[in-house]
PDB file of all heavy atoms in Angstrom:
ATOM      1  N   TRP A  40      97.499  80.319 148.588  1.00  0.00           N
ATOM      2  CA  TRP A  40      96.470  80.110 147.575  1.00  0.00           C
ATOM      3  C   TRP A  40      95.569  81.342 147.434  1.00  0.00           C
ATOM      4  O   TRP A  40      95.172  81.696 146.324  1.00  0.00           O
ATOM      5  CB  TRP A  40      95.620  78.890 147.926  1.00  0.00           C
ATOM      6  CG  TRP A  40      94.421  78.762 147.010  1.00  0.00           C
ATOM      7  CD1 TRP A  40      93.112  78.842 147.337  1.00  0.00           C
ATOM      8  CD2 TRP A  40      94.450  78.596 145.582  1.00  0.00           C
ATOM      9  NE1 TRP A  40      92.308  78.723 146.200  1.00  0.00           N
ATOM     10  CE2 TRP A  40      93.114  78.567 145.153  1.00  0.00           C
ATOM     11  CE3 TRP A  40      95.464  78.461 144.626  1.00  0.00           C
ATOM     12  CZ2 TRP A  40      92.784  78.432 143.759  1.00  0.00           C
ATOM     13  CZ3 TRP A  40      95.150  78.313 143.282  1.00  0.00           C
ATOM     14  CH2 TRP A  40      93.793  78.304 142.901  1.00  0.00           C
ATOM     15  N   GLN A  41      95.299  82.032 148.526  1.00  0.00           N
ATOM     16  CA  GLN A  41      94.380  83.180 148.427  1.00  0.00           C
ATOM     17  C   GLN A  41      94.970  84.262 147.479  1.00  0.00           C
ATOM     18  O   GLN A  41      94.261  84.938 146.754  1.00  0.00           O
ATOM     19  CB  GLN A  41      94.118  83.810 149.806  1.00  0.00           C
ATOM     20  CG  GLN A  41      95.276  84.524 150.476  1.00  0.00           C
ATOM     21  CD  GLN A  41      96.135  83.583 151.292  1.00  0.00           C
ATOM     22  OE1 GLN A  41      96.221  82.419 151.014  1.00  0.00           O
ATOM     23  NE2 GLN A  41      96.777  84.129 152.357  1.00  0.00           N
ATOM     24  N   TYR A  42      96.295  84.334 147.445  1.00  0.00           N
ATOM     25  CA  TYR A  42      96.978  85.332 146.578  1.00  0.00           C
ATOM     26  C   TYR A  42      96.963  84.821 145.105  1.00  0.00           C
ATOM     27  O   TYR A  42      96.794  85.585 144.190  1.00  0.00           O
ATOM     28  CB  TYR A  42      98.387  85.584 147.017  1.00  0.00           C
ATOM     29  CG  TYR A  42      98.467  86.305 148.350  1.00  0.00           C
ATOM     30  CD1 TYR A  42      98.811  85.641 149.511  1.00  0.00           C
ATOM     31  CD2 TYR A  42      98.209  87.674 148.441  1.00  0.00           C
ATOM     32  CE1 TYR A  42      98.915  86.286 150.714  1.00  0.00           C
ATOM     33  CE2 TYR A  42      98.312  88.337 149.654  1.00  0.00           C
ATOM     34  CZ  TYR A  42      98.638  87.637 150.797  1.00  0.00           C
ATOM     35  OH  TYR A  42      98.702  88.262 152.035  1.00  0.00           O
ATOM     36  N   HIS A  43      97.182  83.521 144.934  1.00  0.00           N
ATOM     37  CA  HIS A  43      97.103  82.938 143.597  1.00  0.00           C
ATOM     38  C   HIS A  43      95.719  83.068 143.010  1.00  0.00           C
ATOM     39  O   HIS A  43      95.529  83.382 141.844  1.00  0.00           O
ATOM     40  CB  HIS A  43      97.530  81.468 143.608  1.00  0.00           C
ATOM     41  CG  HIS A  43      99.002  81.272 143.883  1.00  0.00           C
ATOM     42  ND1 HIS A  43      99.943  81.493 142.914  1.00  0.00           N
ATOM     43  CD2 HIS A  43      99.659  80.849 144.996  1.00  0.00           C
ATOM     44  CE1 HIS A  43     101.145  81.225 143.419  1.00  0.00           C
ATOM     45  NE2 HIS A  43     100.969  80.809 144.693  1.00  0.00           N
ATOM     46  N   LYS A  44      94.714  82.867 143.863  1.00  0.00           N
ATOM     47  CA  LYS A  44      93.339  82.990 143.435  1.00  0.00           C
ATOM     48  C   LYS A  44      93.052  84.454 143.035  1.00  0.00           C
ATOM     49  O   LYS A  44      92.392  84.691 142.020  1.00  0.00           O
ATOM     50  CB  LYS A  44      92.424  82.563 144.574  1.00  0.00           C
ATOM     51  CG  LYS A  44      90.935  82.565 144.217  1.00  0.00           C
ATOM     52  CD  LYS A  44      90.091  81.993 145.362  1.00  0.00           C
ATOM     53  CE  LYS A  44      88.599  81.984 145.028  1.00  0.00           C
ATOM     54  NZ  LYS A  44      87.847  81.400 146.122  1.00  0.00           N
ATOM     55  N   ALA A  45      93.519  85.364 143.852  1.00  0.00           N
ATOM     56  CA  ALA A  45      93.328  86.803 143.539  1.00  0.00           C
ATOM     57  C   ALA A  45      94.001  87.174 142.254  1.00  0.00           C
ATOM     58  O   ALA A  45      93.463  87.981 141.439  1.00  0.00           O
ATOM     59  CB  ALA A  45      93.897  87.674 144.687  1.00  0.00           C
ATOM     60  N   ARG A  46      95.181  86.573 141.975  1.00  0.00           N
ATOM     61  CA  ARG A  46      95.845  86.843 140.708  1.00  0.00           C
ATOM     62  C   ARG A  46      95.038  86.332 139.550  1.00  0.00           C
ATOM     63  O   ARG A  46      94.856  87.053 138.523  1.00  0.00           O
ATOM     64  CB  ARG A  46      97.226  86.152 140.674  1.00  0.00           C
ATOM     65  CG  ARG A  46      97.768  85.925 139.261  1.00  0.00           C
ATOM     66  CD  ARG A  46      99.047  85.124 139.300  1.00  0.00           C
ATOM     67  NE  ARG A  46     100.191  85.978 139.575  1.00  0.00           N
ATOM     68  CZ  ARG A  46     101.407  85.534 139.802  1.00  0.00           C
ATOM     69  NH1 ARG A  46     101.627  84.264 139.886  1.00  0.00           N
ATOM     70  NH2 ARG A  46     102.423  86.392 139.989  1.00  0.00           N
TER      71      ARG A  46
END
Side-chain angles (χ1 to χ4, degrees):
W40 172 244
Q41 70 272 28
Y42 293 104
H43 289 284
K44 184 175 180 178
R46 159 185 276 171

